[in-house]
Coordinates of all heavy atoms in Angstrom, one line a residue:
E172 N 6.7 11.8 -15.1 CA 8.2 11.9 -15.1 C 8.8 10.7 -15.7 O 9.9 10.7 -16.3 CB 8.7 12.2 -13.7 CG 8.7 13.6 -13.3 CD 9.4 13.9 -12.0 OE1 10.4 13.2 -11.7 OE2 8.9 14.7 -11.2
L173 N 8.3 9.5 -15.3 CA 9.0 8.3 -15.6 C 8.4 7.4 -16.7 O 8.9 6.3 -17.0 CB 9.1 7.4 -14.3 CG 9.8 8.2 -13.2 CD1 9.8 7.4 -11.9 CD2 11.3 8.5 -13.6
G174 N 7.3 7.9 -17.3 CA 6.7 7.1 -18.4 C 7.7 6.8 -19.5 O 7.7 5.7 -20.1
S175 N 8.5 7.7 -19.9 CA 9.4 7.5 -21.0 C 10.5 6.4 -20.7 O 11.1 5.9 -21.6 CB 10.2 8.8 -21.3 OG 11.0 9.2 -20.2
R176 N 10.6 6.1 -19.4 CA 11.5 4.9 -19.1 C 10.8 3.7 -18.8 O 11.3 2.7 -18.2 CB 12.3 5.3 -17.8 CG 13.0 6.7 -17.8 CD 14.1 6.7 -18.8 NE 14.7 8.0 -18.8 CZ 15.8 8.3 -18.1 NH1 16.4 7.4 -17.4 NH2 16.3 9.5 -18.1
S177 N 9.5 3.6 -19.2 CA 8.6 2.4 -19.0 C 8.4 2.1 -17.5 O 8.2 0.9 -17.2 CB 9.2 1.2 -19.7 OG 9.3 1.5 -21.1
I178 N 8.5 3.1 -16.7 CA 8.2 2.9 -15.3 C 6.8 3.4 -15.1 O 6.5 4.6 -15.4 CB 9.2 3.6 -14.3 CG1 10.6 3.0 -14.5 CG2 8.7 3.5 -12.9 CD1 11.7 3.8 -13.9
R179 N 5.9 2.6 -14.6 CA 4.5 3.0 -14.4 C 4.2 3.3 -13.0 O 4.8 2.7 -12.1 CB 3.5 1.9 -14.9 CG 3.8 1.5 -16.4 CD 2.8 0.5 -16.9 NE 3.0 -0.8 -16.3 CZ 2.2 -1.4 -15.5 NH1 1.0 -0.8 -15.1 NH2 2.4 -2.6 -15.0
C180 N 3.2 4.2 -12.7 CA 2.9 4.5 -11.3 C 1.4 4.7 -11.3 O 0.9 5.6 -12.0 CB 3.6 5.7 -10.9 SG 3.3 6.1 -9.1
N181 N 0.7 3.9 -10.5 CA -0.8 4.0 -10.4 C -1.2 4.0 -8.9 O -0.4 3.6 -8.0 CB -1.5 2.9 -11.1 CG -1.3 2.9 -12.6 OD1 -1.9 3.8 -13.3 ND2 -0.4 2.1 -13.1
A182 N -2.4 4.5 -8.6 CA -2.9 4.5 -7.3 C -4.2 3.6 -7.2 O -4.9 3.5 -8.2 CB -3.3 5.9 -6.8
I183 N -4.4 3.0 -6.0 CA -5.6 2.3 -5.8 C -6.3 3.0 -4.6 O -5.7 3.4 -3.6 CB -5.4 0.8 -5.4 CG1 -4.8 0.1 -6.6 CG2 -6.6 0.1 -4.9 CD1 -4.4 -1.4 -6.4
A184 N -7.6 3.3 -4.8 CA -8.4 3.9 -3.7 C -9.4 3.0 -3.2 O -10.5 2.8 -3.8 CB -9.0 5.2 -4.3
P185 N -9.1 2.2 -2.1 CA -10.1 1.3 -1.6 C -11.2 2.1 -0.9 O -10.9 3.2 -0.4 CB -9.3 0.5 -0.6 CG -7.8 0.7 -0.8 CD -7.8 2.1 -1.4
G186 N -12.4 1.5 -0.9 CA -13.5 2.1 -0.1 C -13.5 1.5 1.3 O -12.5 1.5 2.0
F187 N -14.6 0.9 1.7 CA -14.8 0.3 3.0 C -14.4 -1.1 2.9 O -15.1 -2.0 2.4 CB -16.2 0.5 3.5 CG -16.5 -0.3 4.7 CD1 -15.8 -0.3 5.9 CD2 -17.7 -1.1 4.7 CE1 -16.1 -1.0 7.0 CE2 -18.0 -1.9 5.8 CZ -17.2 -1.8 7.0
I188 N -13.2 -1.4 3.4 CA -12.6 -2.8 3.3 C -12.8 -3.5 4.7 O -12.3 -2.9 5.7 CB -11.2 -2.8 2.9 CG1 -11.0 -2.0 1.6 CG2 -10.6 -4.2 2.8 CD1 -11.8 -2.5 0.4
E189 N -13.4 -4.6 4.7 CA -13.6 -5.3 6.0 C -12.4 -6.1 6.4 O -12.0 -7.0 5.7 CB -14.9 -6.2 5.9 CG -16.1 -5.3 5.6 CD -17.4 -6.0 5.9 OE1 -17.5 -6.8 6.9 OE2 -18.4 -5.7 5.3
T190 N -11.8 -5.8 7.6 CA -10.6 -6.5 8.1 C -10.9 -6.9 9.5 O -12.0 -6.7 10.0 CB -9.4 -5.6 8.0 OG1 -9.7 -4.4 8.8 CG2 -9.1 -5.1 6.6
E191 N -9.9 -7.5 10.2 CA -10.1 -7.8 11.6 C -10.5 -6.6 12.4 O -11.3 -6.7 13.4 CB -8.8 -8.3 12.2 CG -8.2 -9.6 11.6 CD -6.9 -9.3 10.8 OE1 -5.9 -9.1 11.3 OE2 -7.0 -9.2 9.5
M192 N -10.0 -5.4 12.0 CA -10.4 -4.2 12.7 C -11.9 -3.9 12.7 O -12.4 -3.6 13.7 CB -9.6 -3.1 12.0 CG -9.1 -2.0 13.0 SD -8.0 -0.9 12.1 CE -9.0 -0.3 10.8
T193 N -12.5 -4.1 11.5 CA -13.9 -3.8 11.4 C -14.8 -4.9 12.1 O -15.9 -4.6 12.5 CB -14.4 -3.6 9.9 OG1 -14.0 -4.8 9.2 CG2 -13.8 -2.4 9.3
E194 N -14.2 -6.1 12.4 CA -14.9 -7.1 13.1 C -15.3 -6.7 14.5 O -16.2 -7.2 15.1 CB -14.1 -8.4 13.1 CG -14.3 -9.3 11.9 CD -13.2 -10.4 11.8 OE1 -12.7 -10.8 12.9 OE2 -12.9 -10.8 10.7
K195 N -14.5 -5.7 15.0 CA -14.7 -5.3 16.4 C -15.7 -4.2 16.5 O -16.1 -3.8 17.6 CB -13.3 -4.8 17.0 CG -12.3 -5.9 17.2 CD -11.0 -5.3 17.6 CE -9.9 -6.3 17.3 NZ -8.6 -5.7 16.9
L196 N -16.2 -3.7 15.4 CA -17.2 -2.6 15.4 C -18.6 -3.1 15.6 O -18.9 -4.3 15.4 CB -17.1 -1.8 14.1 CG -15.7 -1.2 13.8 CD1 -15.7 -0.5 12.4 CD2 -15.4 -0.1 14.8
D197 N -19.5 -2.2 16.0 CA -20.9 -2.5 16.2 C -21.5 -3.1 14.9 O -21.5 -2.4 13.9 CB -21.6 -1.3 16.7 CG -23.1 -1.4 16.6 OD1 -23.6 -2.5 17.0 OD2 -23.8 -0.5 16.2
P198 N -22.0 -4.3 14.9 CA -22.5 -5.0 13.7 C -23.6 -4.1 13.0 O -23.6 -4.1 11.7 CB -23.1 -6.3 14.1 CG -22.5 -6.5 15.5 CD -22.1 -5.2 16.1
A199 N -24.4 -3.4 13.7 CA -25.5 -2.6 13.1 C -24.9 -1.4 12.3 O -25.3 -1.1 11.2 CB -26.4 -2.1 14.2
T200 N -23.8 -0.8 12.9 CA -23.2 0.3 12.2 C -22.5 -0.2 10.9 O -22.7 0.4 9.9 CB -22.0 0.8 13.1 OG1 -22.6 1.1 14.4 CG2 -21.4 2.1 12.5
V201 N -21.9 -1.4 11.0 CA -21.2 -1.9 9.8 C -22.2 -2.3 8.7 O -22.0 -2.0 7.5 CB -20.4 -3.2 10.2 CG1 -19.8 -3.9 9.0 CG2 -19.2 -2.7 11.1

Side-chain angles (χ1 to χ4, degrees):
E172 277 187 36
L173 300 175
S175 63
R176 313 291 182 95
S177 300
I178 298 169
R179 300 182 295 109
C180 183
N181 292 286
I183 292 177
F187 169 51
I188 306 301
E189 299 199 32
T190 59
E191 299 107 78
M192 216 167 61
T193 52
E194 275 168 25
K195 292 176 202 141
L196 300 174
D197 168 40
T200 308
V201 172

